[in-house]
Amino acid sequence: MSADYSPATAADVRRLRDTLDARGKKLVFTNGCFDLLHAGHVRYLEQARALGDALVVALNSDASVRLLKGAGRPLNNQNDRAEVLAALRAVDAVLVFEDQRATGLIDAIHPHVYAKGGDYTVESLNAGERAALNRAGSEVRILPLVPGRSTTSTINRMNAGHGVGRLRIAVLGSGAGSNLRAIISAVQNGRLEAEIAAVISDQPDSNFLKLACEAGFPAHFVDPGSNPRKLGDAAQKEIFEHLERARVDVVVLAGFMRILKEPVISGYSGRIVNVHPSLLPRHKGAGATQLAIDAGDSETGCTVHLVTAEIDAGRTLAQARVPVLPGDTAETLHARIKTEEHKLLPQVLNEWRERGLPVRDAGAS
Ligand code: GAR
């Protein structure tokens, strides 16, 4: 029986890099979690290896995978993940690293080529990593992911067979992502039995999208088109296709600041919910918190409602009330409203899963 695999150190890899360099050869470096290996990983690593003469993989430690992907991950511990990875034909060495980012390793190793998979562009790489790659003079190569092959989709397929009653949700947003964060933590701590099957944004640099990528959910940027306020026809269709591919039960708009039209509105009729920072039907549309202050309201709140073709007009599912305090600005008031949203939205979704479409009287929070 073989002993446990002993991973390389950064110093080992730097020596390998310098040896290759002296011979005019190239070290390719990549990093990731590689939790449940699938054909997409193998093809990605083969392509990465073909960019140079040796491939070194930095594997996220168990602690860093937990931070990146949530408490339920990794499924396999770092020693096992390293051993399996090192057995692949394309992989010359594996090292384990604790940070969520590879910045320190890039500085230590100075790889000739840095390979990254997936939806990234050079611009959307983490700024620290990008700066380290510039310092090291590394060439950055983004390799396409193999569609439909991912650890998350493998886990989803397993759950589809066994995790009866799990709601498959898609979350759409444009901004800070605090409601997405609340949904993720409700899922992780068991308050909401749901699969986050897709996360979609019209804003490539939003925290919302960053959060989804970092948490390891299937995250998609959809180019909204040239009009700064509207969502173009191509984008409407692309969103629909993402929802269909992810086999979504419920679409959750969590700070999505554009209007959904066909084919999503009809295709998901009665299955799209929005959270809005006012007690609808009061203060529809953008700037609802400032409108409540300007109107001198003593109370406002948030509403979770069904989405129809008419803005903020679909059936109210639940509301929570929030007082408007003397001296409130739109920001202070919105922050208090969000605290309520973070409780209300996961609650509504979980009720939906347990008992079907929930409806609570407006105002009964
Ligand atoms: C939330 O307060 C939500 O109610 C609001 O955007 C915020 C998103 O915050 N939505 C609307 O105004 C829709 N008309 P988040 O990105 O931190 O979740």
Side-chain angles (χ1 to χ4, degrees):
M1 229 174 73
S2 66
D4 281 355
Y5 172 75
S6 0
T9 64
D12 297 335
V13 177
R14 180 61 193 244
R15 270 194 297 279
L16 173 63
R17 181 257 178 224
D18 290 345
T19 309
L20 288 168
D21 194 62
R23 295 183 191 151
K25 295 189 167 189
K26 287 182 182 174
L27 179 93
V28 185
F29 178 76
T30 191
N31 59 289
C33 300
F34 299 95
D35 191 5
L36 210 54
L37 278 197
H38 49 75
H41 285 136
V42 176
R43 287 183 220 169
Y44 167 75
L45 293 167
E46 293 275 351
Q47 285 182 61
R49 173 66 177 75
L51 298 172
D53 302 284
L55 174 65
V56 173
V57 182
L59 186 66
N60 285 92
S61 70
D62 292 347
S64 68
V65 175
R66 271 193 293 281
L67 287 175
L68 287 166
K69 304 218 177 257
R73 302 279 297 276
L75 299 170
N76 291 301
N77 71 42
Q78 63 195 47
N79 297 338
D80 287 8
R81 287 183 288 125
E83 186 174 339
V84 171
L85 207 48
L88 295 181
R89 182 179 50 198
V91 176
D92 294 276
V94 177
L95 52 79
V96 176
F97 74 119
E98 291 294 336
D99 300 334
Q100 290 180 65
R101 305 274 165 220
T103 317
L105 283 177
I106 294 164
D107 276 331
I109 294 167
H110 280 211
H112 297 97
V113 181
Y114 178 67
K116 190 94 188 166
D119 296 340
Y120 284 93
T121 59
V122 174
E123 293 70 37
S124 72
L125 283 179
N126 169 266
E129 279 180 359
R130 230 167 54 206
L133 290 164
N134 279 338
R135 283 194 292 278
S138 308
E139 179 193 344
V140 179
R141 298 292 296 267
I142 309 289
L143 301 175
L145 285 183
V146 182
R149 306 292 205 295
S150 72
T151 299
T152 307
S153 70
T154 306
I155 293 171
N156 284 345
R157 280 197 301 281
M158 290 164 73
N159 285 337
H162 304 289
V164 178
R166 287 195 141 211
L167 206 61
R168 291 179 67 77
I169 61 175
V171 189
L172 276 63
S174 315
S178 69
N179 278 287
L180 173 62
R181 191 183 292 281
I183 291 171
I184 294 172
S185 70
V187 169
Q188 285 174 347
N189 65 27
R191 281 182 290 118
L192 169 59
E193 279 196 44
E195 294 288 334
I196 300 174
V199 179
I200 300 171
S201 182
D202 59 328
Q203 298 297 329
D205 300 322
S206 57
N207 270 332
F208 176 89
L209 204 55
K210 271 188 213 134
L211 173 64
C213 290
E214 284 172 7
F217 294 108
H220 312 281
F221 161 64
V222 171
D223 186 338
S226 53
N227 188 317
R229 283 199 299 273
K230 287 192 180 151
L231 196 58
D233 290 347
Q236 301 277 358
K237 193 160 164 284
E238 196 182 331
I239 291 176
F240 181 73
E241 283 161 5
H242 281 307
L243 300 174
E244 291 291 282
R245 261 198 299 275
R247 294 177 289 113
V248 161
D249 299 314
V250 177
V251 180
V252 183
L253 308 188
F256 189 63
M257 301 314 270
R258 300 199 194 226
I259 295 166
L260 281 179
K261 295 194 172 150
E262 300 303 348
V264 180
I265 287 287
S266 300
Y268 288 82
S269 167
R271 296 190 289 146
I272 311 172
V273 292
N274 179 43
V275 59
H276 182 79
S278 79
L279 295 173
L280 288 174
R282 221 167 150 65
H283 308 314
K284 294 179 179 178
T289 44
Q290 187 62 53
L291 290 174
I293 293 172
D294 293 347
D297 294 353
S298 59
E299 179 178 70
T300 181
C302 54
T303 303
V304 178
H305 66 97
L306 287 180
V307 172
T308 58
E310 199 185 330
I311 300 173
D312 296 334
R315 200 161 96 209
T316 290
L317 303 179
Q319 292 186 313
R321 295 176 180 279
V322 172
V324 180
L325 301 178
D328 254 342
T329 61
E331 288 71 33
T332 57
L333 181 56
H334 199 174
R336 285 205 312 287
I337 293 173
K338 280 194 183 191
T339 306
E340 294 304 317
E341 292 181 349
H342 300 161
K343 292 183 257 175
L344 195 65
L345 187 54
Q347 261 171 29
V348 169
L349 293 171
N350 202 46
E351 268 179 46
W352 192 317
R353 183 197 69 80
E354 284 176 342
R355 294 194 282 276
L357 187 63
V359 181
R360 245 182 282 161
D361 287 343
S365 65

